[in-house]
Every structure is written in structure tokens, then in C-alpha cells.
């Protein structure tokens, strides 16, 4: 699956992609995050589509099985 690219800042479109600020996420509110622009230092509210895709992944999920890291011992 290709990696999702965050949007660019609406205030400075020539900047790098926005950062996903997850400092406000809690167990009860797993989608309580915002976009952050390191260039202009502003926060942006993600769209409903961004909340869904960047919190839970794109629709359809993984086509293969989940793979375990072989370096981590099994319990």
C-alpha cells in the first residue's frame, strides 16, 4: 500500500506537507488531532475525510495478512 501524503499548508502552499499533531489524542478521542505547518506554525482542522483516512487508513484495509516483526520474540 502506498504511503499517504498529508496536504500542504493552505497559507503557504510551497511548504512541505503538514505534520499530524497528535498531542491531544486520548483513548476516548482517538481522532482528536490537527494538521500543523512547521513553516508558518499554524494549526489546521482536518476534513472529515482526512480524519477517517489518516486515523484508520484508507478504505478497504490491507489486502494481505498482518506480518509480525521477526526480530521481536513471541510471548
Amino acid at each position: 500500500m502506498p504511503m499517504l501524503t498529508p496536504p500542504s499548508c493552505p497559507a503557504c502552499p510551497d511548504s512541505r506537507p503538514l505534520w499530524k499533531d497528535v498531542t491531544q489524542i486520548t483513548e476516548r478521542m482517538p481522532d482528536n488531532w490537527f494538521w500543523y505547518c512547521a513553516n508558518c506554525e499554524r494549526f489546521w482542522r482536518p476534513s472529515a475525510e482526512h480524519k477517517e483516512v489518516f486515523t484508520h487508513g484508507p478504505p478497504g484495509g490491507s489486502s494481505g495478512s498482518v506480518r509480525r516483526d521477526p526480530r521481536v520474540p513471541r510471548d
Side-chain angles (χ1 to χ4, degrees), residues 3-65:
M3 188 169 187
L4 299 171
T5 303
S8 295
C9 177
C12 41
D14 294 335
S15 68
R16 294 182 178 152
L18 296 171
W19 287 85
K20 182 179 172 184
D21 178 1
V22 297
T23 57
Q24 301 299 314
I25 289 178
T26 64
E27 190 174 317
R28 292 182 55 211
M29 298 179 67
D31 66 347
N32 191 30
W33 57 270
F34 298 91
W35 290 123
Y36 171 74
C37 178
N39 188 43
C40 66
E41 299 182 350
R42 292 172 68 181
F43 289 90
W44 303 94
R45 186 176 310 274
S47 67
E49 180 184 353
H50 283 168
K51 285 272 189 178
E52 182 64 31
V53 171
F54 286 91
T55 300
H56 305 291
S62 171
S63 59
S65 62

